[in-house]
Amino acid sequence: MEALQIIGGNRLAGSVRVTGAKNSVLKLMAAALLAPGRTTLTEVPGILDVEIMGELLRRLGCAVELDLGHGRVSIDVPESLEHRADYDLVRRMRASITVLGPLLARCGVVDVALPGGDNIGSRGLDMHVSGLQRMGAEVTIEHGYLIASAPEGLHGASVWLDFPSVGATETILMAAVTAAGRTVIDNAAREPEIVDICQMLIDMGAHIDGAGTSTLEVEGVPSLRPVQHATVPDRIVTGTWAVAAAITGGDITIENARPEHLQIALDKLSTAGADVTEIDDGLHVRMDRRPAAVDIVTLPYPGFPTDLQPQFIALNAVAQGTALVTENLFEARFRFVHELVRLGADVQTEGHHALVRGRDQLSGAPVEATDIRAGAGLVLAGLVAEGVTSVHEVHHIDRGYAGFVDDLVRLGAQISRVPIPG
Ligand code: EPU
């Protein structure tokens, strides 16, 4: 067991390179299941979740080579796949549910353990299920498993999502690419990670129109071919570095970043007083004053991302003024606020609103990461807190941030992994 120990007060400066997005690569790995043969992914982040997804694919019958040092994963997909995703892996990583669509398409049947709730909310699957049912699948829940079958194959359908769910859009999309006929997904998610999956599926031979819009039109094809694909850069890691520059009064060049994927968040940083400049292949963020408080409302893309909400609460916690933060995606994402309060932050939550009154100074303390982004938010707060902050439950951070501590050290932070006594 380890914790991250931070001695606050250093200004971060220098360059950091962002690699591929966690929330894309896990789905790209699942999409590989759709085509027998070898698919190779590059720009793969060296994170725990990629290892868990690799293990899941192995259990389904694939040979998986992880070369995370070079950001590469090769997946050899057999003609005949297993079709069961067990609870021991699904409970470790909810994104395991992404194999639902591809396995149903390939095997005509799939059993995936129900992920249950997690630290950021209940996270239902109703839209995944109703979409697959519209495409001809029978779905039941037995002994904690979601079992879907379509012995006669899936057929195209019109699917209207109640909410532009990222996961449901992906499940239906991956089921639709080899279904018979035309599927139209309305109110589809528009995240850059959805566009990335569409791009890979199109390269595999799928017919998809409307990637990046609210209407995805898919004309099913009989089969797909394996490909090589580079993962889209991680906009949430990019945003985390941008806030790191702003909160520490720093100066960071973020390479391999796509500023166009986080316009609202960058605009908020400018409002907070940061100097944000787009450069070739990335961006540059510099701050030379105390940040001003900025209100945030999380929404599906292109709205402000929920995955940057904790980092912006940390920024507001030391800003000049008071900010109202509204969380519209995950009901329990304010849980980490109790930890931030242990660092001296003044945050009051009421339903899906948090009122953050900026303090002149936070003070270091032991705190616990409750999820990946909460962990990132607490590390950012620790960077500016006076004294020592230790962030426990580091495994959450390892799920989403590759080489985080090394990068922070190179940028000038005093941070290290320390064993927890006992
Ligand atoms: N929802 C339902 N029913 C469904 C599907 C979703 O009620 O059938 C609800 C969820 O409970 C949630 C909301 O809709 O309240 C949004 O869920 P969505 O399906 O859009 O999110 P997700 O696919 O579960 C992905 C990311 C999250 C990210 C969200 C929103 C992955 C593996 N996860 O989750 O990332 O916050 O989209 O952008 O792609 C993270 O990286 O820290 C993280 C939580």
Side-chain angles (χ1 to χ4, degrees):
M1 296 285 275
E2 290 177 320
L4 296 184
Q5 188 168 291
I6 307 160
I7 301 170
N10 287 17
R11 171 177 183 268
L12 300 196
S15 291
V16 66
R17 185 178 187 277
V18 172
T19 177
K22 167 182 85 79
N23 288 345
S24 198
V25 76
L26 300 173
K27 327 306 173 62
L28 303 176
M29 291 174 78
L33 292 168
L34 287 163
R38 169 170 278 219
T39 283
T40 300
L41 301 172
T42 58
E43 290 293 342
V44 175
I47 53 173
L48 195 57
D49 276 12
V50 166
E51 293 178 34
I52 298 174
M53 185 56 104
E55 178 57 26
L56 174 54
L57 296 183
R58 281 190 196 108
R59 290 209 208 159
L60 296 172
C62 302
V64 180
E65 268 174 44
L66 298 179
D67 177 6
L68 296 182
H70 296 97
R72 233 178 140 80
V73 170
S74 296
I75 304 161
D76 282 298
V77 180
E79 287 293 337
S80 171
L81 285 163
E82 300 293 330
H83 57 79
R84 186 177 167 94
D86 284 319
Y87 185 55
D88 66 319
L89 287 178
V90 176
R91 66 193 282 272
R92 287 178 69 194
M93 187 188 68
R94 195 181 188 280
S96 308
I97 201 74
T98 324
V99 298
L100 179 61
L103 284 182
L104 183 59
R106 280 291 310 281
C107 308
V109 60
V110 51
D111 314 357
V112 184
L114 287 171
D118 59 20
N119 289 339
I120 58 173
S122 56
R123 305 182 80 176
L125 292 176
D126 51 311
M127 287 182 263
H128 300 239
V129 169
S130 60
L132 294 178
Q133 284 171 329
R134 280 193 156 255
M135 299 175 70
E138 278 184 23
V139 184
T140 55
I141 295 193
E142 288 169 33
H143 306 296
Y145 278 75
L146 188 153
I147 301 175
S149 67
E152 309 300 319
L154 294 164
H155 56 72
S158 288
V159 179
W160 176 274
L161 297 179
D162 294 339
F163 175 89
S165 153
V166 170
T169 301
E170 290 161 349
T171 293
I172 297 160
L173 176 68
M174 289 197 270
V177 283
T178 56
R182 186 177 186 75
T183 299
V184 179
I185 311 173
D186 254 315
N187 202 24
R190 291 185 277 164
E191 272 69 3
E193 295 77 28
I194 300 276
V195 176
D196 198 28
I197 297 161
C198 286
Q199 193 52 58
M200 171 161 148
L201 291 169
I202 289 167
D203 292 345
M204 291 170 82
H207 293 172
I208 302 170
D209 275 335
T213 75
S214 300
T215 307
L216 286 172
E217 297 183 46
V218 184
E219 194 67 52
V221 295
S223 62
L224 298 175
R225 56 180 176 269
V227 284
Q228 173 154 344
H229 180 88
T231 316
V232 70
D234 198 315
R235 65 196 162 98
I236 305 302
V237 173
T238 303
T240 303
W241 288 125
V243 177
I247 200 170
T248 64
D251 186 341
I252 302 182
T253 299
I254 309 167
E255 295 164 10
N256 194 35
R258 301 266 178 89
E260 68 273 22
H261 291 166
L262 74 164
Q263 288 295 358
I264 292 192
L266 295 177
D267 190 57
K268 291 285 176 188
L269 283 181
S270 302
T271 307
D275 199 0
V276 180
T277 324
E278 294 192 18
I279 54 171
D280 266 0
D281 195 35
L283 72 147
H284 181 219
V285 183
R286 180 192 162 90
M287 184 73 137
D288 51 18
R289 67 190 86 164
R290 182 177 177 189
V294 280
D295 294 338
I296 301 295
V297 180
T298 70
L299 281 172
Y301 191 84
F304 187 93
T306 175
D307 292 344
L308 283 176
Q309 177 256 93
Q311 298 88 321
F312 272 76
I313 288 194
L315 182 73
N316 279 318
V318 293
Q320 178 83 49
T322 298
L324 183 62
V325 175
T326 305
E327 170 60 51
N328 286 316
L329 276 90
F330 294 115
E331 71 268 16
R333 213 154 206 180
F334 286 146
R335 258 181 211 166
F336 91 104
V337 160
H338 301 295
E339 300 299 311
L340 202 59
V341 166
R342 302 199 73 251
L343 299 178
D346 181 351
V347 190
Q348 239 179 304
T349 57
E350 177 69 51
H352 61 131
H353 300 293
L355 194 67
V356 191
R357 295 185 179 90
R359 303 290 295 260
D360 292 342
Q361 181 70 65
L362 300 179
S363 69
V367 289
E368 205 171 285
T370 45
D371 71 82
I372 306 175
R373 311 305 170 188
L378 291 168
V379 169
L380 293 176
L383 290 174
V384 291
E386 182 265 318
V388 179
T389 297
S390 43
V391 182
H392 294 251
E393 303 295 330
V394 186
H395 59 98
H396 287 297
I397 300 174
D398 295 339
R399 287 189 45 207
Y401 290 87
F404 199 37
V405 172
D406 292 345
D407 284 340
L408 282 164
V409 168
R410 267 194 299 102
L411 292 171
Q414 284 194 71
I415 181 170
S416 57
R417 292 178 89 101
V418 293
I420 302 168

